[in-house]
Amino acid sequence: MVVAAGAAPRGSRRRFPHAAMDKAYDSNAIRAKLDAKGITPVIPPKSNRLEIVVYDQERYKQRNKVERLFNKLKQFRRVATRYEKLKTNFLAFVTVALIVIMLR
């Protein structure tokens, strides 16, 4: 799963300064593409990587919170299966699900 942080305000072109990804995305090609776009990769190195790669471990820990939130959202069947076809209605159900999660 990919998690990007630091989105720009609405209406402007979105820029993400960092991209947190799983170890599965640890490749030189992906790192090069992110660097070319000015995005700092936050990807832990695979265990078989020969060169040492430094990444921000504190930012990577925040990725876990986002993944847990998505897993909680998937518990709401209407959101997980996306019964609503219009994006405004779908966003409304996601908002309701997030409110219920926050009230728990």
Side-chain angles (χ1 to χ4, degrees):
M1 170 150 190
V2 179
V3 179
R10 248 187 168 169
S12 65
R13 186 165 182 167
R14 293 187 174 199
R15 295 262 311 138
F16 300 103
H18 306 288
M21 301 181 188
D22 289 339
K23 285 184 178 185
Y25 295 97
D26 179 33
S27 73
N28 293 335
I30 291 175
R31 288 179 183 276
K33 284 182 182 181
L34 290 172
D35 286 334
K37 293 182 179 185
I39 300 171
T40 305
V42 182
I43 309 169
K46 288 183 182 178
S47 60
N48 62 352
R49 185 178 261 282
L50 298 177
E51 60 193 46
I52 296 174
V53 177
V54 179
Y55 69 100
D56 189 353
Q57 292 180 354
E58 290 304 314
R59 284 196 191 275
Y60 187 73
K61 288 179 185 177
Q62 296 299 316
R63 183 185 145 274
N64 182 34
K65 291 181 182 179
V66 175
E67 286 214 22
R68 286 188 301 182
L69 177 64
F70 277 108
N71 286 331
K72 288 178 183 178
L73 273 174
K74 288 179 186 177
Q75 300 303 312
F76 292 85
R77 185 173 179 207
R78 189 166 199 124
V79 174
T81 56
R82 187 152 186 189
Y83 286 131
E84 302 300 322
K85 298 302 176 197
L86 296 177
K87 65 180 175 180
T88 55
N89 292 349
F90 179 70
L91 181 60
F93 279 106
V94 170
T95 304
V96 169
L98 289 172
I99 290 170
V100 170
I101 289 170
M102 293 301 291
L103 291 176
R104 288 186 183 167

